[in-house]
Amino acid sequence: MNALTMKWLLRREYWEHKGSMFWAPAIVGALLVLFVGGTVIYGLAMHGTPGTIQINGRIVSHGAFAAAMPPEMQIKLSRLASGLYVAAGAPLFLVMAGVMFFYCLGALYDERRDRSILFWKSLPVSDATTVLSKAITALCVAPIIAGVLAVVASLLLLTIGAIGLSFSGVHLIGALLTQPDLYLQPLRLLALLPVYVVWALPTVGWLLLVSSWAKTKPFLWAVGVPLVALLLVKWISYTLENFSGTPLNIMPVAQDIVARMLSGSVPGIWFSFTDGIPAAVRESGQGQGPDMGLLFEASWMTLATVQAWVGALAGAAMIFAAMRLRRWRDEG
């Protein structure tokens, strides 16, 4: 596989789907920033900066409010804000998950529907390279774009919040700039990409396989087949339990398989397939929110589970099958 060829194939995928991969999360991020910033600006413009603040039923002035918050409390608040500010970009990742789902579903189906596959197959590019470029776009390019936009939107929201607090006499900007988490969170987010790739592989593989095979209505095939199979397994288990008294105890496994096939593109979904968020993360975050450093480590620890790699191998096998299907599949 030529690296230059792959580079141009990735550019092609981005150019063709720039609206969904870049502009959709960018618009959502802009709306988040405008909503929060507009709320703060509107409040200040309409009501001004209040001269007094009510705390526990007691009216205090700005100066008293600032004095009531000692430096230790300001440092604690800045630590909490710097550790959790990236969470404000969560809506962008949900948008990315939806975009990735429909992108994979149409990646190979659309080129057969509009007959553009005849042009692309006339080029000296193998089917394996073409399908792999689409998988890399879904697994790496789209999440990186969404991650960058989420960090930018989160930083803007953090800045707006800090400026808003400064009007109440609480100045956190200096304390925020001294917090290591402020700079580590974007790096941690980027470092979670391999974890995301492993857990998203079954979804990407399944959707690309359906996209390369379905002659019509790929969404119904992609969603309907797993759900019908799940209902069939449940019916068989129910029937065996009624006739023999012994249930077919494979429902939890079947539910996990269907969930991996349909929802693996959602960031953080890996905790639902393991033991959930570790108790150490929850305990360390009591009253302060989750410890993002421990949450990052816990995410990487999920790669030590059998479920992660069995699903990843299944996803890779389905991507390989999609490559083979594209070699001969045609609407004619």
Side-chain angles (χ1 to χ4, degrees):
M1 179 179 61
N2 190 300
L4 183 60
T5 301
M6 178 58 69
K7 174 184 176 181
W8 282 105
L9 285 175
L10 293 177
R11 285 189 176 184
R12 166 209 164 189
E13 296 299 325
Y14 174 72
W15 289 336
E16 289 187 350
H17 301 89
K18 187 176 181 180
S20 58
M21 288 188 184
F22 177 81
W23 287 113
I27 290 173
V28 172
L31 290 175
L32 281 175
V33 175
L34 288 176
F35 176 78
V36 175
T39 301
V40 173
I41 294 173
Y42 176 81
L44 293 175
M46 295 299 296
H47 305 289
T49 305
T52 59
I53 299 174
Q54 184 174 355
I55 302 178
N56 296 327
R58 184 169 61 92
I59 304 298
V60 298
S61 64
H62 273 177
F65 175 70
M69 181 175 288
E72 304 83 43
M73 183 62 70
Q74 294 191 26
I75 293 175
K76 184 177 180 180
L77 183 59
S78 64
R79 185 182 297 117
L80 177 64
S82 64
L84 297 177
Y85 75 94
V86 174
L92 278 72
F93 292 111
L94 294 179
V95 171
M96 181 270 296
V99 166
M100 199 190 85
F101 186 96
F102 289 100
Y103 163 77
C104 292
L105 202 55
L108 301 174
Y109 170 78
D110 289 344
E111 65 181 12
R112 288 186 289 112
R113 184 183 60 180
D114 61 16
R115 312 294 290 174
S116 63
I117 189 174
L118 300 177
F119 169 75
W120 295 114
K121 281 198 170 187
S122 68
L123 301 177
V125 180
S126 67
D127 297 293
T129 303
T130 300
V131 175
L132 188 60
S133 70
K134 297 177 184 296
I136 293 175
T137 299
L139 292 169
C140 298
V141 176
I144 289 175
I145 293 174
V148 171
L149 293 174
V151 170
V152 172
S154 300
L155 283 172
L156 289 174
L157 290 173
L158 182 64
T159 303
I160 292 172
I163 293 175
L165 283 174
S166 68
F167 284 100
S168 298
V170 180
H171 303 284
L172 294 180
I173 295 179
L176 281 171
L177 294 176
T178 63
Q179 296 300 321
D181 279 344
L182 181 69
Y183 313 101
L184 289 176
Q185 295 298 26
L187 299 178
R188 287 171 177 159
L189 197 62
L190 178 62
L192 284 178
L193 183 61
V195 180
Y196 178 79
V197 169
V198 171
W199 285 98
L201 262 173
T203 298
V204 172
W206 168 246
L207 295 176
L208 288 177
L209 180 62
V210 173
S211 183
S212 66
W213 172 80
K215 284 189 175 183
T216 183
K217 298 178 177 63
F219 179 81
L220 293 180
W221 285 106
V223 178
V225 169
L227 293 182
V228 170
L230 186 62
L231 290 175
L232 182 61
V233 170
K234 188 172 183 178
W235 177 78
I236 293 174
S237 178
Y238 176 78
T239 303
L240 287 176
E241 185 177 6
N242 284 342
F243 281 93
S244 65
T246 303
L248 189 63
N249 295 320
I250 63 172
M251 276 303 296
V253 177
Q255 290 173 350
D256 282 351
I257 291 175
V258 172
R260 289 290 303 272
M261 292 171 65
L262 299 180
S263 61
S265 60
V266 180
I269 198 69
W270 43 83
F271 288 123
S272 65
F273 295 112
T274 53
D275 296 327
I277 298 178
V281 177
R282 295 194 299 268
E283 292 172 0
S284 66
Q286 288 181 354
Q288 303 180 22
D291 187 319
M292 299 305 291
L294 290 178
L295 197 64
F296 169 79
E297 296 175 8
S299 297
W300 270 94
M301 287 300 294
T302 62
L303 296 186
T305 60
V306 176
Q307 300 97 310
W309 295 106
V310 169
L313 289 175
M318 287 186 283
I319 291 175
F320 178 77
M323 295 175 182
R324 303 294 295 180
L325 280 170
R326 188 182 186 271
R327 180 168 298 182
W328 59 268
R329 191 66 160 154
D330 196 289
E331 289 299 318

